[in-house]
Structure formats: C-alpha cells, structure tokens
Amino acid sequence: MQIQLISQCIRDLDFSPTKPWPKTLPGIAWGQICVAGFAQNTVVNVATHSEPQPQTEEQAKEFAQVMADAHSHFSLRELAQLRQRLGQHLKMAEMIFTHLLICQGLRNSETLLEILDKLPQLPVEFQNWCEARDLGARELSIIKCFSEVSGLAPLALTIAQLGASRAHGVQLLELGGELLLMGHTWQDAKPDTGTSEAWLKKLESQRRPQTHARDQQKQEALSSLPWPEFLHTRLLRQGDKASLEVKFQFSTLEEFQKKNAGLMRVQAAFENLQSEGTP
Amino acid sequence: MKNLIGKFEKVFINENVLESELAKRFQKLFSKEQIQVIQSEPYPESKGTLSAREFDRGKKQIHLTEFKGSFFKRCPGSKPGLACCNYYVLNLGLQCDMNCSYCYLQSFINTPVLTIYTNIDQALDELKEMADKGAFAQRLRIGTGETIDSLSLDELTLYSKKLIHFFKDYPNWRLEFKTKSNKVAQFLNEEHAGNVIVSWSINPQNIISQEEHGTATLNERLDAAARCLERGFQIAFHIDPMIWHPEWQESYASLVDELHRRFRPEQIPYFSLGSLRFQPEQRHMMRERFGMKSLVTQGEMFAGKDGKLRYDADLRQEMYQFVLGRFRALDPTWKIFLCMETPESWLGTYQAPPRRVKEIAELFQPITI
C-alpha cells in the first residue's frame, strides 16, 4: 500500500458521489484508477497487483470490492453514472460492474441495466429526486416502456419540482407515464395546481375514466338522499370497492336512538334509489 | 406438426434425461441443429425476474428436464377469501408457446425457457400412491393446464394419451385438460372411462384477435370441442378472463348465443366465469410486451382483497350478471360458476354462496386428501 499524488491517477470514474469524502483522509486508488475521494490531493493505492487497471476476473472482483467498501451504498443515479464511466474507461467494465452489483446485493439483470441506461437521459432534478427518495429500479420500470425517454422528461421534471413524496411520486410517474403511452399529451396530463395530491387525483380520473364517472354518479345519487344534518357522509374507494362511509357522534343512549332514527329515515329513500337502478 | 416444430429455435435437453421417452421423441422430431445437450440449466445468468426480452425468447426455446419435487398441488384459487371449486393441478411443464397479453405466467415464471418435464411416469406414480392411500373414492378434479397449456404442445409430447390411459383405472377422478388450442386429434381415438373433460378457455373473437396471440380462433376451439364430444369426452368452457371493452355486452352476448347454438346444457358439466385479474407486479411486463394499446394494460384495475388487481367490484358483478342472465334466458339449466371470486361476488351475482347454487353445488363440496 502506498500514498501517491492524485495527479498520478486517472479520475475518469468520478461519478459525483452524493456522500462527501472525509476531508482529512486521502482518496483511494486501485493501480492508476482513482475510485474514491476524487477531489483529494493524495490517494492510497490498495491494489495487490502492479497493473494500472484490472486485467483479470480476480482483479475485477478486487477492484469492485474496493469500490463497494469505499462507498458502502450506491443510489441508482450513482450506479447509472458509474456504469457509463466504467464502460468508457476500463477494459473489464462489465465484470467489475457485475461484481459491484453483487457487493450491493443486486442482480445483474437486463431489467436493472435498462433502467440504469435510461435514467441519465432524464432531467438531473429528477435523478436527484429519485436519489433523495431512495427509489429502486422496480419503481422506475415505466421508463423502460419509452423508446425515447425524452417523452417522459416533462413529467419527471415536474414530479421533482413539486417535491412529491416517494409514494406520490411513484404513482404520478406510473399514471402519467401510462397516460402518455396511451396517447394523451403532456398538456392534458400536466398539473393544474401546485400540489402533488391534486395532480394525483387528476391523473387518477384520467387514467380510470369509467370508474371515475361511476363513482361520481354514485356520489351524486347518495348526496340526493335526505341525510340528517348531524351525519357526515362520503363515498370512499378502497381498492376494488366504492362504498359509503357514514359518521356520527353520540354520548348518551337517548342521543344514539334519536340519531339512529334519523338514519333509518334515509333507508326508504335509498330503497327507492336502488329500485330505480342507480348503483 | 411442422408449423409447431417450426415455432421453436432451440431444444435444450439435459444430459441425464437423454434416454427418456420424451427426449428420444424430440430427437426424432427436431433437427440436430435445433437440439443442444446440456449438463446444467440453460441461461444460468437469467435467474430471477426475467426481462421482457428474456420472457419472449423463452417462448421459442424448449428445455427437457426432470421435475424435482411434488407434481400434484391444489389450485391457487384455494385461498382464504376466495370460493374454491376443489380443483387440483398436475404441472407437467412451465411456460406456453402461445402469447396472451394477460397471461399470469408473466409474473410467475423465472426460468428463461419453455420447460417440459420428462418424468411424467413419476407424476403418475404420485397419483397412484395418493389413490392407494384412500383418495381413490374422492371426486377429485385434476387439471394439467395451470402452468402450461394442456394441449398446445401435445402433438410433441403425447402426454394426453398417457394421462387418459392412467385415468381409466380411476373412474371417480376427473382429468381436465385446459387449452386455447384446437389440438385434439392425437387422443380422440384413445379409450377412456368417460372421466376426461377437455375444456377451453374462450372469449369473443374480437378479444381473441386482440389479446390472445397465437391461439386457435373461437371457431377452431368450438369445432375441436364438438369433435371431443362426438368421441364421448366431456367438454367444458371457461369464459375467463372476461375483458371489458366498449362493446363488451354485444361481444359476450354473441359468444353466449354461439355456445347455445352449438351445444346443449346437458352436454357440458359446467362453465366457469372469471374477469381480468393479475398480480400487481405483472403490469410492468405486460406494459413492456404489449404496450398501452392492449385492452388489458388499459384496464381500470384496483387491488382486490387477495392483492390481485381486478376491475371495480360493481363492474365485475354487472359483467357476471349479464352473461349469467343471457345463459339463463336461453336455457335456465346451464351450469355456471365463478372462478377465483370472493363470496361477495357470488352473493351479488347469484344471491347465494356457491354451495347453495343447485346446479354447481357438487363442485364446491369440501373434500380432504
């Protein structure tokens, strides 16, 4: 192990790691290749071989292990960057990357590689959003359906700009992506207001128009019933069922009986509605 | 047969099954260039969840190997929360040479080839052992079409003949082939004990054309069913999965009418109805393989009680009631049940749980093995 000036190393693998390298430590190199601490002045060369870069499977494994140990965890954005840079600069790139994924507990699957190839083509803001929300490849799988990823760029950028939560963002990406693939334009799909909740509702109703219309019809029919004022009602969709939630409060038996009688008066009107064929 | 052989680019045969009856037959049917003898698994790097490309390639490459484990299983419909019709499955292969957009194998398969198990004799030994332990007297329905179409590759394997021959000795059991092909000629002359049901999964022709790629047309399936009936085989139909589309009422009405025109209720022990459903993770593969122009990927799906994505419960009920009503209007004695549905759907459609629906109650009686 020896310390050398970083200027003697190649820093082409700098994949812009999110986690800053400790200022007081030298960087790490394997042969002539800097693998961590790209902005340091000196590096420790940890290679057990004299080659400037890995030449054999064994060396590729060692190289990948050093990278994995130095960075401990790679986000999808970092993996995507690193994959590009390895491919451009090292001969054993594919083997190194496979071992790097193994060190991360990931499988070198076609699905993952396709996501890693397409993610860098989306706006940087979105890549950073994915990283901050710790998204996995599965959650980005809609990207694979776009032969031209640029078609997804406005949607991805807006998700990032709205600072959507992980759960909202994943749903927005999927619903919005599907709508675009179904032929809707970005003008149709873009948010009308500045909240991800409102946008999600809009995309839900665009993606499931028949169900949305049925739910609205149901809601209107139920609203027309003579509900007593003390009742709070709303149509609630839980999975594949839309049903009515009725809430009221009471503190005495007398109060309960009174409110319950009011509720029972709705029954006759409800039966009429059903006999007319309203869902 | 030539067309069928021509569909496949390659046949991998594991070295240890080279002497099996099936492997010998394949070596005669396929050219030397198509066959590759291997010692382990084909494509060992493609383990786990497959990509769309790997899945597509798998449909064109056969792998002959031994199945290690128990062949005989309960149908996946036998889960808490779903009404079960006592169906058992015998899986003699994995993957399918046809290509339906909604196929559940897309979320199930993690092997990148179409696998056919060569040790069918072991499967039959398992059944025999079960019979010897007392299951002989039970009225079991055993199907071979869960993880592979029962008949689409049968000209290559001739497994139907072996199974029909075996089931001759077990008249209380019913063997059910389930297919979307019209490949029946190879077993029509087999002697049988009247306990073989050849069943077809069917849909209106517009759905077949758009969503069931590489399958037989509706007419071809119904013709094949008629031929089976002529030879004394029982037949059944599964209108499953029903797929919503703007003209669904016209399409399914004309399907029911056609069935009624060609068959009589007493000729068909049962129909099953089911609507589109799939595991949530399957949507990724379907979207990639069939795009968003498919009626299946475009479907308005919601998570059901069992976690699968399904149509809205009211819409499902409307579809079932429509088809059931059409059958009943033509003849009230048609026997129809709902496949993999919740008790609520049964009540909504029949106003009764399945064991209380006279025509089909027998299918739902609990049995123990």
Side-chain angles (χ1 to χ4, degrees):
Chain A
M1 205 186 296
Q2 64 182 82
I3 289 194
Q4 61 191 69
L5 287 173
I6 202 162
S7 55
Q8 293 173 300
C9 283
I10 297 162
R11 282 183 285 175
D12 291 333
L13 292 193
D14 185 357
F15 57 94
S16 314
T18 308
K19 224 169 135 186
W21 188 253
K23 280 183 184 161
T24 51
L25 293 180
I28 296 175
W30 194 103
Q32 280 182 6
I33 314 292
C34 180
V35 298
F38 299 100
Q40 304 304 86
N41 292 322
T42 55
V43 291
V44 181
N45 185 355
V46 296
T48 54
H49 307 268
S50 55
E51 280 83 358
Q53 63 165 277
Q55 304 291 339
T56 65
E57 182 172 358
E58 193 192 334
Q59 291 171 13
K61 262 188 190 175
E62 185 185 291
F63 186 92
Q65 189 64 55
V66 169
M67 281 218 92
D69 288 347
H71 297 282
S72 74
H73 173 76
F74 296 94
S75 67
L76 281 184
R77 180 197 65 78
E78 290 173 320
L79 281 176
Q81 288 282 339
L82 193 51
R83 178 169 151 77
Q84 269 187 347
R85 286 164 188 273
L86 282 168
Q88 284 161 0
H89 302 290
L90 299 192
K91 284 183 214 153
M92 304 288 287
E94 214 164 297
M95 199 165 279
I96 293 170
F97 195 69
T98 301
H99 285 296
L100 197 61
L101 290 178
I102 293 169
C103 294
Q104 293 286 295
L106 297 169
R107 198 172 62 84
N108 188 4
S109 69
E110 284 193 2
T111 301
L112 175 63
L113 296 187
E114 208 178 324
I115 298 272
L116 294 179
D117 286 343
K118 288 188 168 172
L119 184 60
Q121 297 171 45
L122 286 168
V124 175
E125 293 89 336
F126 178 72
Q127 294 179 45
N128 293 337
W129 176 85
C130 291
E131 185 168 46
R133 302 290 188 274
D134 197 23
L135 257 63
R138 174 105 330 187
E139 290 152 315
L140 295 172
S141 71
I142 189 87
I143 297 177
K144 289 187 291 166
C145 300
F146 284 79
S147 47
E148 292 294 328
V149 187
S150 55
L152 198 59
L155 175 77
L157 181 61
T158 312
I159 291 171
Q161 285 170 339
L162 284 179
S165 67
R166 185 180 203 265
H168 276 181
V170 169
Q171 286 182 72
L172 288 166
L173 186 67
E174 178 138 338
L175 288 170
E178 286 192 344
L179 285 167
L180 294 174
L181 290 167
M182 285 162 80
H184 288 247
T185 63
W186 169 238
Q187 282 303 314
D188 293 337
K190 71 179 187 184
D192 299 324
T193 63
T195 70
S196 58
E197 288 89 346
W199 191 20
L200 196 54
K201 276 190 184 160
K202 176 185 168 168
L203 294 186
E204 281 273 9
S205 65
Q206 285 181 323
R207 176 63 184 84
R208 301 185 176 100
Q210 311 278 346
T211 316
H212 182 69
R214 286 167 81 102
D215 284 356
Q216 277 207 319
Q217 197 190 346
K218 220 176 198 177
Q219 173 78 67
E220 280 163 23
L222 289 166
S223 306
S224 71
L225 292 173
W227 297 105
E229 273 183 21
F230 61 82
L231 280 177
H232 301 283
T233 63
R234 63 171 177 154
L235 190 74
L236 203 61
R237 172 158 288 283
Q238 286 176 316
D240 62 346
K241 269 189 103 62
S243 47
L244 187 72
E245 184 187 74
V246 177
K247 265 191 197 172
F248 67 90
Q249 293 172 338
F250 61 91
S251 52
T252 63
L253 178 61
E254 194 186 5
E255 200 183 353
F256 171 75
Q257 285 169 336
K258 199 175 149 194
K259 290 189 171 180
N260 194 33
L263 184 59
M264 293 311 286
R265 278 195 290 277
V266 182
Q267 189 175 332
F270 192 33
E271 282 169 358
N272 278 342
L273 256 189
Q274 289 234 307
S275 64
E276 286 164 15
T278 308
Chain B
M1 178 81 116
K2 234 181 179 180
N3 285 347
L4 184 57
I5 290 171
K7 272 173 113 170
F8 298 102
E9 296 165 348
K10 200 177 257 189
V11 177
F12 295 101
I13 306 179
N14 267 111
E15 200 175 44
N16 61 331
V17 303
L18 263 177
E19 291 306 309
S20 66
E21 205 180 320
L22 190 68
K24 283 181 183 166
R25 182 168 161 79
F26 269 62
Q27 287 172 83
K28 278 188 200 152
L29 292 172
F30 287 86
S31 69
K32 275 185 182 161
E33 293 72 37
Q34 281 174 293
I35 289 180
Q36 186 179 335
V37 178
I38 53 173
Q39 284 168 344
S40 57
E41 299 291 304
Y43 306 110
E45 73 284 2
S46 294
K47 285 273 178 207
T49 310
L50 300 179
S51 69
R53 188 194 69 82
E54 289 167 321
F55 190 88
D56 285 336
R57 183 188 61 192
K59 286 187 171 286
K60 296 177 199 145
Q61 305 196 349
I62 295 177
H63 177 207
L64 300 187
T65 187
E66 255 182 357
F67 181 71
K68 295 180 179 80
S70 172
F71 274 100
F72 187 71
K73 293 182 180 77
R74 279 203 87 158
C75 162
S78 55
K79 278 182 185 165
L82 296 176
C84 168
C85 61
N86 290 319
Y87 190 64
Y88 288 77
V89 292
L90 191 61
N91 294 326
L92 297 170
L94 184 60
Q95 200 23 309
C96 178
D97 59 315
M98 297 178 284
N99 201 11
C100 299
S101 59
Y102 52 77
C103 179
Y104 92 106
L105 293 176
Q106 292 170 106
S107 62
F108 181 81
I109 281 183
N110 57 11
T111 47
V113 278
L114 191 165
T115 309
I116 303 176
Y117 303 119
T118 53
N119 48 337
I120 184 174
D121 291 336
Q122 188 194 316
L124 300 181
D125 286 346
E126 251 180 54
L127 288 178
K128 189 173 180 310
E129 194 183 328
M130 207 173 66
D132 294 345
K133 283 181 184 165
F136 177 81
Q138 304 269 19
R139 294 189 64 81
L140 297 187
R141 292 166 61 221
I142 301 166
T144 59
E146 191 211 4
T147 56
I148 189 166
D149 186 280
S150 296
L151 298 176
S152 69
L153 298 171
D154 198 50
E155 287 174 314
L156 298 177
T157 64
L158 299 179
Y159 277 177
S160 61
K161 289 177 154 205
K162 279 203 166 206
L163 288 163
I164 292 169
H165 181 74
F166 177 86
F167 273 73
K168 255 194 337 184
D169 296 336
Y170 302 93
N172 281 335
W173 291 1
R174 288 195 276 189
L175 168 66
E176 181 169 327
F177 296 130
K178 198 186 256 188
T179 187
K180 287 195 185 91
S181 77
N182 60 343
K183 305 283 172 60
V184 295
Q186 68 281 4
F187 67 77
L188 283 180
N189 290 329
E190 288 298 303
E191 260 187 63
H192 59 89
N195 59 347
V196 180
I197 306 177
V198 191
S199 76
W200 278 266
S201 170
I202 52 171
N203 248 312
Q205 184 55 48
N206 59 328
I207 296 295
I208 292 176
S209 305
Q210 196 171 338
E211 307 294 338
E212 299 181 351
H213 310 284
T215 63
T217 64
L218 176 63
N219 255 331
E220 287 171 336
R221 293 183 215 181
L222 299 184
D223 284 348
R227 288 165 70 200
C228 288
L229 209 51
E230 278 168 20
R231 307 300 301 200
F233 290 97
Q234 298 182 58
I235 60 168
F237 294 104
H238 310 275
I239 306 183
D240 191 2
M242 292 178 69
I243 293 175
W244 186 92
H245 54 289
E247 315 79 31
W248 71 271
Q249 291 186 327
E250 293 90 325
S251 304
Y252 284 97
S254 88
L255 174 66
V256 173
D257 294 352
E258 178 65 5
L259 289 163
H260 182 75
R261 193 181 67 76
R262 296 181 68 145
F263 303 100
R264 295 189 309 276
E266 65 272 19
Q267 291 177 315
I268 299 175
Y270 54 85
F271 273 91
S272 72
L273 296 185
S275 59
L276 180 64
R277 59 199 175 277
F278 48 84
Q279 293 292 346
E281 62 271 22
Q282 189 175 316
R283 69 192 191 282
H284 305 301
M285 178 75 92
M286 294 193 303
R287 229 168 21 206
E288 266 194 84
R289 299 185 63 236
F290 299 98
M292 288 301 291
K293 302 286 177 210
S294 151
L295 293 167
V296 170
T297 50
Q298 279 188 12
E300 298 186 16
M301 312 303 280
F302 300 90
K305 269 186 183 170
D306 59 352
K308 280 186 191 167
L309 297 182
R310 295 170 182 268
Y311 293 134
D312 172 62
D314 288 348
L315 177 63
R316 282 177 5 236
Q317 205 163 297
E318 190 186 327
M319 293 173 84
Y320 295 146
Q321 279 177 342
F322 177 83
V323 171
L324 197 62
R326 190 86 184 184
F327 270 116
R328 291 275 156 89
L330 293 166
D331 190 326
T333 60
W334 283 111
K335 294 178 272 301
I336 296 153
F337 72 92
L338 305 183
C339 183
M340 290 193 187
E341 265 299 353
T342 59
E344 288 91 329
S345 290
W346 274 95
L347 291 173
T349 309
Y350 280 94
Q351 290 76 50
R355 277 184 229 160
R356 299 209 178 264
V357 180
K358 194 179 67 183
E359 297 85 3
I360 52 171
E362 190 207 349
L363 289 170
F364 289 83
Q365 293 310 318
I367 53 175
T368 46
I369 292 185

